[in-house]
C-alpha cells in the first residue's frame, strides 16, 4: 500500500502526461497502484475510489472478462520478452456501462518505492477520425461519427413522433484474431472490407460503422431486420468457410412508446450484450436483447466482484455426492462439488458461477480450492480412523491454461501425505474438443503419476466415441441426460456404452439415477457404479455420513474395491445376472452362473471381499 505522499508525487507527474496511464504490480496479483486522471476519464470514473470499485483494484478488472490475458503473457506472446514491452489492445466497460476498446503500450520497469511494475500507457485508437470522416480500412464510419449520427437520428425520431421504427444491430467476428494468425494481417483487413461490402449490400439505406477490429454496428428499420441479419451472417460464414470463425449478431429493439429512453451508446451496449450471449453457441447466429440478459450480466458482475471474498471468507462450501457400486450396494466413492452460500444472495448454484469463472479464466482458483479442501477432508478421515473412500474432483480445460493442475494436486497429496489413489480426476467430454492434443498430454501425465482419470458427461457431445480413440480414461461417467429421458432408445444407448467400455477395459458410472427401475436396469447391463438422487443428493460431509447411516450404505474396503474393479470389467450379458448376498458374518460370496466370474475369482481370496 502506497502512502499518501508517494501517491501525491506520482499524480503530480503522471496527471500531466497525455493519455491514460496505469501502474500495476508485476506479480500474479496485478494490483493497480495508480491510475492517472485521464484513465479515470476513459472509464467514466469521477475519482480513484470509483475506479477501484469498478475494477476491483486489479488489471483483470480493467478488461472485459472473456478477453483477459495476464500481462506477463501479453509480453510473451505479442511483445519483445527480452525488452519487456508490447503493444496490445484490450476491450473494457466503463462505469456507466459503455463498451470501449483501448490501444496500449505495456512496459515492465522498476521504480524506486514501487519495485517491479507494469506501466500501461493507453492511447487513442489509431483508426479514430474526426466526426464525419470514414474509417480507413472499410470505408465505413468510425465510432465517433457513427454515434453522433445515430443520436441525431434518435432526436429526429423524437421530434417526428415516430420512435421505435428502427433498431440497433451489433456484429462481431468471433475469433478474428485466429483469422489474422492463420492468414496474416493483410488478409484480415481484406476480410473486414468484404464484411463491410456485405453489410452495405443488405442494408443499403442504413447507418453503418466499423467500430474496431472485429466489431460492426448499424441502425436499420425493424421490419424484416432478422431475416436480413441472418442473410448477412450466412453469407459471411460461407465466405470464411471456417466453423471456428463466424459472424454473430445482437439486435436491440427500442420501446416504440419510449424511443428516447436509450442513447445511441446504451442501445448498442444492449445489442452487444445480446451478441455476446451466443458467442459460444454454434447453433445460433443472432439474438435479441432481453431483460434477462441484463440481469444475467448483473449476476455475472456480482460473481466476479465477490468471488475472491467468497473464497477468503469460506462462503464456498464443498458438498459430496455418494457413489454406489451396483454389485454390492456399498458406498465406493464420492464426488466433490462446490456450492456458494452467499450472505447477501443466498445459495448460488454452480450454473450461476462456474461458467462465469470459466469465461473469466478464474476457474483454476475454484478448482485449486476444491482440491485443497478434498485433501484436507481425506487427511481428517485417515487420522480419525474412519473408512477412507476415494473422492473425485472436477478440472476445467481452462485450468490447464492458467496453472499446472498436476502440480496443484501433487502439492496437496504431499502436504497431507495421501495415496494418489484417493483422488480421482474428472474432465468433461466437451473440454476435450477445445484443445484435444494439449489435454491428451496432461491426462497422460496424471495417469503416469498414478491418478485415475475419468471422462465426465460421456455422451453429451457429438464426438463421444471418436474421443475414446485418442484419450485414455480409467472410467466413463455416462451423462445423466440418458436417464432423464429414460426410454427404449436411451436404454439401448446406455447398454452399448457399457459393453463398449468393458471391451476397452474402461469402468463405467451412470449419473442421474433417481428410481429403482433405473438402478435395476443399470445393474442388469453391468454398469459398475451409480451416482444420483436415488442414493443421495450432494450434501455436506457430516450430513452425508448421517444420510449413509440412515440408508444403511456401508463403505466398501480397499480390498473390495480392488476385487470388484476386476469383476466390473466382465460382460455380464454373456451369462446369467449376478446376485450378491452375505453368507455369514465372516465373508461374502458371489452366487453366479457366469464362467467369466470364476476365472477372476480364482485370484481373489475371500478376505479380499470382506
Amino acid at each position: 500500500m502506497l502512502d499518501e505522499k508517494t501517491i501525491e508525487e506520482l499524480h503530480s507527474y503522471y496527471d500531466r502526461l497525455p493519455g491514460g496511464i496505469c501502474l500495476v504490480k508485476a506479480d500474479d496479483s496485478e494490483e493497480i497502484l495508480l491510475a492517472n486522471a485521464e484513465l479515470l476519464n476513459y472509464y467514466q470514473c469521477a475519482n480513484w475510489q470509483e475506479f477501484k470499485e469498478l475494477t476491483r483494484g486489479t488489471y483483470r478488472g480493467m478488461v472485459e472478462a472473456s478477453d483477459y490475458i495476464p500481462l506477463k503473457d501479453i509480453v510473451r506472446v505479442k511483445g519483445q520478452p527480452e525488452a519487456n514491452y508490447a503493444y496490445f489492445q484490450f476491450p473494457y466497460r466503463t462505469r456507466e456501462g459503455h463498451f470501449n476498446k483501448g490501444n496500449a503500450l505495456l512496459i515492465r520497469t522498476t521504480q524506486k518505492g514501487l519495485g517491479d511494475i507494469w506501466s500501461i500507457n493507453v492511447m487513442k485508437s489509431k483508426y479514430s477520425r474526426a466526426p464525419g470522416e470514414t474509417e480507413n480500412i472499410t470505408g465505413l464510419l468510425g465510432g465517433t461519427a457513427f454515434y453522433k449520427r445515430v443520436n441525431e437520428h434518435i432526436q429526429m425520431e423524437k421530434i417526428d413522433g415516430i420512435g421505435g421504427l428502427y433498431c440497433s444491430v451489433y456484429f462481431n467476428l468471433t475469433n478474428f484474431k485466429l483469422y489474422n494468425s492463420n492468414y496474416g494481417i493483410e488478409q484480415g483487413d481484406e476480410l473486414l472490407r468484404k464484411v463491410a461490402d456485405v453489410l452495405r449490400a443488405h442494408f443499403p439505406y442504413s447507418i453503418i460503422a466499423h467500430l474496431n477490429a472485429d466489431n460492426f454496428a448499424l441502425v436499420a428499420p425493424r421490419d424484416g431486420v432478422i431475416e436480413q441479419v441472418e442473410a448477412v451472417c450466412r453469407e459471411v460464414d460461407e465466405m470464411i468457410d471456417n466453423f471456428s470463425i463466424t459472424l454473430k449478431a445482437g439486435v436491440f429493439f427500442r420501446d416504440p412508446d419510449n424511443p428516447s429512453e436509450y442513447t445511441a451508446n446504451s442501445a448498442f451496449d444492449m445489442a452487444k450484450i445480446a451478441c455476446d450471449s451466443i458467442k459460444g453457441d454454434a447453433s445460433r447466429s443472432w439474438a435479441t436483447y432481453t431483460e434477462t440478459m441484463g440481469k444475467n450480466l448483473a449476476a455475472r458482475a456480482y460473481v466476479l466482484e465477490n468471488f475472491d471474498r467468497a473464497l477468503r471468507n469460506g462462503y464456498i462450501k464443498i458438498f459430496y455426492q455418494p457413489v454406489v457400486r451396483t454389485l454390492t450396494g456399498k458406498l465406493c466413492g464420492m464426488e466433490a462439488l462446490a456450492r456458494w452460500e452467499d450472505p447477501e444472495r443466498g445459495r448460488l448454484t454452480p450454473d450461476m458461477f462456474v461458467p462465469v469463472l470459466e469465461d473469466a479464466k478464474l476457474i483454476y482458483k475454484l478448482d485449486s480450492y476444491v482440491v485443497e479442501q478434498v485433501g484436507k477432508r481425506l487427511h481428517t478421515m485417515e487420522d480419525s480412523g474412519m473408512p477412507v473412500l476415494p473422492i473425485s474432483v472436477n478440472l476445467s480445460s481452462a485450468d490447464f491454461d492458467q496453472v499446472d493442475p498436476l502440480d496443484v494436486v501433487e502439492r496437496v497429496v504431499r502436504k497431507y501425505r495421501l495415496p494418489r489413489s484417493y483422488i480421482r480426476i474428472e474432465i468433461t467430454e466437451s473440454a476435450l474438443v477445445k484443445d484435444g492434443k494439449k489435454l491428451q498430454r496432461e491426462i497422460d501425465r496424471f495417469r503416469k503419476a498414478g491418478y485415475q482419470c475419468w471422462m465426465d458427461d460421456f455422451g453429451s457431445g457429438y464426438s463421444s466415441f471418436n474421443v475414446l480413440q485418442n484419450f485414455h480414461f480409467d472410467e466413463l461417467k455416462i451423462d445423466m441426460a440418458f436417464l432423464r429421458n429414460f426410454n427404449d432408445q436411451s436404454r439401448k444407448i446406455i447398454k452399448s456404452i457399457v459393453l463398449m467400455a468393458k471391451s476397452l477395459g474402461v469402468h463405467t458410472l451412470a449419473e442421474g439415477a433417481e428410481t429403482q427401475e433405473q438402478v435395476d436396469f443399470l445393474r442388469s447391463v453391468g454398469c459398475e457404479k451409480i451416482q444420483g438422487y436415488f442414493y443421495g443428493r450432494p450434501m455436506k460431509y457430516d450430513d452425508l455420513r448421517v444420510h449413509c447411516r440412515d440408508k444403511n450404505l456401508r463403505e466398501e474396503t480397499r480390498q473390495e474395491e480392488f476385487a470388484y474393479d476386476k469383476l466390473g470389467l466382465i460382460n455380464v450379458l454373456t451369462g446369467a445376472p449376478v446376485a450378491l448376498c452375505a453368507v455369514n458374518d465372516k465373508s461374502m460370496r458371489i452366487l453366479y452362473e457366469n464362467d467369466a466370474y470364476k476365472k477372476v475369482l480364482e485370484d481373489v481370496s475371500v478376505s479380499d471381499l470382506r
Side-chain angles (χ1 to χ4, degrees):
M1 182 69 69
L2 301 180
D3 58 68
E4 291 186 7
K5 182 179 179 181
T6 301
I7 294 173
E8 186 176 339
E9 290 175 353
L10 291 171
H11 273 292
S12 67
Y13 174 71
Y14 285 107
D15 284 351
R16 294 199 303 268
L17 299 179
I21 297 176
C22 184
L23 304 183
V24 178
K25 275 188 180 180
D27 58 21
D28 291 340
S29 74
E30 294 184 330
E31 178 188 350
I32 299 172
L33 300 173
L34 179 102
N36 75 345
E38 187 64 17
L39 190 70
L40 299 184
N41 182 49
Y42 289 170
Y43 280 81
Q44 296 183 309
C45 294
N47 52 50
W48 163 252
Q49 189 59 40
E50 287 186 357
F51 181 75
K52 190 174 181 180
E53 290 174 0
L54 176 69
T55 62
R56 303 180 298 282
T58 67
Y59 167 70
R60 179 189 290 275
M62 289 175 57
V63 183
E64 272 289 275
S66 59
D67 291 270
Y68 167 76
I69 300 174
L71 293 171
K72 61 183 180 182
D73 291 341
I74 291 176
V75 167
R76 179 172 56 83
V77 174
K78 299 183 178 183
Q80 303 293 328
E82 67 279 2
N84 280 317
Y85 73 87
Y87 292 99
F88 72 107
Q89 283 189 329
F90 66 96
Y92 64 93
R93 186 167 181 166
T94 70
R95 189 168 184 270
E96 295 181 12
H98 301 308
F99 295 97
N100 288 319
K101 182 167 283 191
N103 290 317
L105 170 62
L106 175 66
I107 303 173
R108 181 163 184 159
T109 183
T110 301
Q111 283 197 19
K112 185 178 180 181
L114 300 180
D116 289 341
I117 62 169
W118 294 107
S119 172
I120 306 174
N121 304 290
V122 185
M123 299 162 283
K124 293 182 179 180
S125 170
K126 63 181 179 179
Y127 295 129
S128 64
R129 294 288 182 271
E133 290 189 84
T134 58
E135 199 279 326
N136 66 353
I137 290 180
T138 63
L140 297 174
L141 291 173
T144 303
F146 173 72
Y147 286 121
K148 182 174 184 294
R149 289 272 300 277
V150 174
N151 277 318
E152 291 171 351
H153 182 82
I154 292 173
Q155 290 303 313
M156 291 302 296
E157 281 187 335
K158 184 178 179 181
I159 293 171
D160 295 338
I162 55 171
L165 295 181
Y166 292 82
C167 62
S168 303
V169 186
Y170 182 96
F171 291 93
N172 173 255
L173 270 173
T174 63
N175 292 323
F176 181 61
K177 293 176 184 176
L178 178 61
Y179 190 93
N180 278 335
S181 176
N182 289 343
Y183 305 108
I185 300 297
E186 290 185 5
Q187 287 299 312
D189 289 349
E190 181 60 24
L191 174 61
L192 295 176
R193 283 189 284 268
K194 289 179 179 178
V195 173
D197 290 340
V198 172
L199 291 172
R200 289 190 190 96
H202 286 274
F203 296 95
Y205 305 110
S206 297
I207 307 171
I208 310 174
H210 179 203
L211 298 179
N212 49 50
D214 50 8
N215 299 314
F216 295 81
L218 59 87
V219 173
R222 63 186 298 150
D223 291 341
V225 69
I226 296 301
E227 289 78 8
Q228 290 174 288
V229 166
E230 283 184 333
V232 167
C233 292
R234 184 168 55 250
E235 187 172 337
V236 171
D237 289 349
E238 289 174 355
M239 181 171 60
I240 297 174
D241 193 25
N242 184 328
F243 72 91
S244 63
I245 305 170
T246 58
L247 187 67
K248 301 285 188 181
V251 184
F252 175 69
F253 294 100
R254 284 184 291 131
D255 182 359
D257 298 326
N258 192 12
S260 59
E261 179 181 3
Y262 293 95
T263 64
N265 295 71
S266 58
F268 282 98
D269 287 344
M270 301 300 114
K272 182 184 187 301
I273 290 170
C275 181
D276 289 347
S277 72
I278 57 169
K279 274 188 175 181
D281 189 343
S283 66
R284 301 178 65 188
S285 59
W286 60 272
T288 58
Y289 177 81
T290 65
E291 287 187 9
T292 301
M293 291 178 184
K295 292 178 181 177
N296 289 343
L297 194 67
R300 174 190 175 87
Y302 184 85
V303 168
L304 294 176
E305 290 170 8
N306 293 277
F307 173 60
D308 286 336
R309 179 172 66 96
L311 282 182
R312 283 196 309 272
N313 296 342
Y315 301 154
I316 308 290
K317 310 291 185 183
I318 308 303
F319 281 40
Y320 299 89
Q321 187 170 24
V323 177
V324 173
R325 194 177 299 273
T326 54
L327 276 174
T328 64
K330 283 189 172 184
L331 192 65
C332 62
M334 299 175 283
E335 179 180 5
L337 300 161
R339 297 293 185 266
W340 184 335
E341 296 181 345
D342 193 83
E344 295 179 27
R345 300 203 174 190
R347 179 169 294 175
L348 303 183
T349 57
D351 62 326
M352 296 170 67
F353 62 88
V354 170
V356 174
L357 297 176
E358 286 188 321
D359 287 344
K361 297 180 176 61
L362 287 171
I363 192 69
Y364 75 94
K365 288 188 176 182
L366 176 66
D367 291 343
S368 299
Y369 176 80
V370 172
V371 171
E372 172 70 26
Q373 296 304 308
V374 164
K376 188 182 299 183
R377 172 59 59 194
L378 288 166
H379 179 68
T380 301
M381 292 164 69
E382 271 201 327
D383 274 6
S384 63
M386 293 186 291
V388 180
L389 293 169
I391 300 175
S392 64
V393 296
N394 293 276
L395 295 183
S396 166
S397 61
D399 291 340
F400 296 91
D401 296 328
Q402 303 298 315
V403 294
D404 180 353
L406 176 58
D407 182 60
V408 171
V409 177
E410 283 281 88
R411 278 190 276 111
V412 169
V413 164
R414 290 193 297 269
K415 178 179 179 181
Y416 295 107
R417 302 185 300 280
L418 301 172
R420 292 184 176 90
S421 59
Y422 281 0
I423 297 179
R424 310 289 164 84
I425 307 300
E426 293 191 28
I427 299 176
T428 59
E429 178 195 334
S430 58
L432 306 177
V433 180
K434 295 178 181 177
D435 194 355
K437 291 183 179 179
K438 180 177 181 179
L439 282 179
Q440 184 178 16
R441 293 192 299 270
E442 296 301 324
I443 290 168
D444 288 343
R445 288 180 65 214
F446 266 106
R447 297 184 76 237
K448 287 177 182 176
Y451 297 95
Q452 283 194 26
C453 289
W454 297 0
M455 184 194 293
D456 195 14
D457 300 331
F458 181 79
S460 60
Y462 294 107
S463 56
S464 303
F465 294 96
N466 290 334
V467 162
L468 291 180
Q469 296 183 49
N470 302 316
F471 296 90
H472 304 290
F473 285 96
D474 299 284
E475 187 157 302
L476 302 182
K477 296 188 72 173
I478 301 171
D479 189 71
M480 64 178 63
F482 294 115
L483 291 179
R484 189 181 299 120
N485 303 306
F486 195 53
N487 51 38
D488 288 341
Q489 185 175 4
S490 65
R491 286 184 176 91
K492 291 177 182 177
I493 294 173
I494 293 172
K495 180 178 175 181
S496 68
I497 291 173
V498 171
L499 293 177
M500 175 202 62
K502 289 179 187 295
S503 69
L504 296 173
V506 178
H507 298 285
T508 52
L509 183 159
E511 296 183 279
E514 297 183 0
T515 67
Q516 185 69 56
E517 179 189 12
Q518 292 170 343
V519 170
D520 291 343
F521 166 76
L522 292 168
R523 182 183 293 117
S524 72
V525 298
C527 183
E528 298 172 64
K529 301 174 186 175
I530 297 176
Q531 179 180 343
Y533 288 177
F534 182 83
Y535 288 112
R537 296 171 178 266
M539 58 193 85
K540 294 177 182 177
Y541 180 74
D542 290 341
D543 295 334
L544 177 65
R545 289 191 63 193
V546 174
H547 171 82
C548 291
R549 183 191 63 204
D550 293 344
K551 294 290 184 181
N552 197 29
L553 288 174
R554 293 177 297 162
E555 301 93 342
E556 74 177 14
T557 64
R558 302 295 285 166
Q559 292 84 1
E560 286 176 323
E561 178 188 10
F562 170 78
Y564 290 123
D565 275 352
K566 282 189 174 183
L567 293 172
L569 295 178
I570 296 173
N571 179 2
V572 300
L573 298 179
T574 60
V578 174
L580 191 74
C581 65
V583 176
N584 53 46
D585 293 337
K586 294 183 178 181
S587 65
M588 299 179 69
R589 298 186 186 282
I590 295 180
L591 307 177
Y592 58 88
E593 296 178 8
N594 187 323
D595 290 339
Y597 282 106
K598 296 179 183 178
K599 185 175 181 181
V600 174
L601 287 173
E602 288 175 359
D603 299 324
V604 179
S605 67
V606 172
S607 63
D608 287 330
L609 296 175
R610 293 180 61 181

